[in-house]
Amino acid sequence: ARPAAPPEPPARPPAGRAFCTLPLPVLTGLPVHVNAAFELSTNRRDLWADPGGALEGEGRTRAVWNDLLLKDVVTPAYARLLSELHARGLSDSDYYALWPSDVPPAPWGAVASTLYAGLLRLPALRVGGGLGRAPDVAPALEAWFLEDEEEEALVRPALFALGVKCAAAPHAVRDLLAVAAAEEGGLRWLAP
């Protein structure tokens, strides 16, 4: 007999679900599950939300609570998770599978948009790697992005050897970072 090997993480995480202690029948559109003290409808099927700004009174208070909870608690916790997962030795594909690949509908879209805005300055984006070296992490605003995907695998290790922080991220991640960075002057691009 031998010890069981730890299970391999899935190539793509399951669809993220919302929890309020117990599971809710709500898919978040994020690649992670979210558990928080949400304000729920009486049938526990929906989060209080006010996308059009038409609610008043207690309904508005509940919707604002959920909005603040998502932006000010869930999003920073998610960003920290991504930042700390880098050290766990996940492959690039498994690591980036935990990043949102698009902006889901409200209210979950606020998490993805706020997350990417925060990741512009948080060291979570993998840079470098290749030539037998493990990748490092850097804030997106400090990294360089290559425009040509085919040349990227060839050029990135050489740039890393020269000390250039060249990002190794899927196009969906780059696209969402570029949207978030638009107000900051944009990302830095290299064309080999």
Side-chain angles (χ1 to χ4, degrees):
R2 63 184 174 103
E8 289 291 318
R12 186 75 179 147
R17 299 214 26 207
F19 292 75
C20 185
T21 305
L22 298 171
L24 301 171
V26 176
L27 294 177
T28 65
L30 300 169
V32 296
H33 299 309
V34 177
N35 184 14
F38 295 115
E39 284 290 335
L40 303 174
S41 62
T42 55
N43 65 5
R44 288 188 50 89
R45 294 192 176 278
D46 299 300
L47 273 62
W48 276 89
D50 189 15
L55 290 178
E56 294 180 4
E58 186 178 330
R60 173 129 177 85
T61 301
R62 289 174 182 225
V64 167
W65 167 262
N66 284 338
D67 186 53
L68 292 172
L69 190 59
L70 289 170
K71 289 180 182 174
D72 296 341
V73 178
V74 171
T75 300
Y78 192 177
R80 183 170 179 181
L81 170 73
L82 293 177
S83 182
E84 292 186 10
L85 274 176
H86 165 71
R88 299 289 175 119
L90 296 175
S91 68
D92 282 354
S93 62
D94 289 338
Y95 179 64
Y96 284 116
L98 297 171
W99 292 49
S101 59
D102 58 10
V103 177
W108 307 103
V111 173
S113 299
T114 307
L115 174 70
Y116 274 96
L119 291 173
L120 294 175
R121 290 185 173 75
L122 184 71
L125 185 71
R126 286 193 169 172
V127 295
L131 301 176
R133 295 182 180 168
D136 198 1
V137 289
L141 289 176
E142 295 178 13
W144 288 91
F145 293 82
L146 290 164
E147 292 179 357
D148 189 326
E149 184 177 352
E150 291 179 13
E151 293 180 6
E152 181 177 339
L154 300 171
V155 175
R156 188 179 341 109
L159 291 171
F160 184 69
L162 295 171
V164 177
K165 295 177 184 176
C166 191
H171 285 282
V173 168
R174 290 191 218 184
D175 293 346
L176 290 171
L177 285 169
V179 170
E183 294 179 13
E184 306 282 338
L187 298 175
R188 302 187 303 177
W189 294 92
L190 290 171

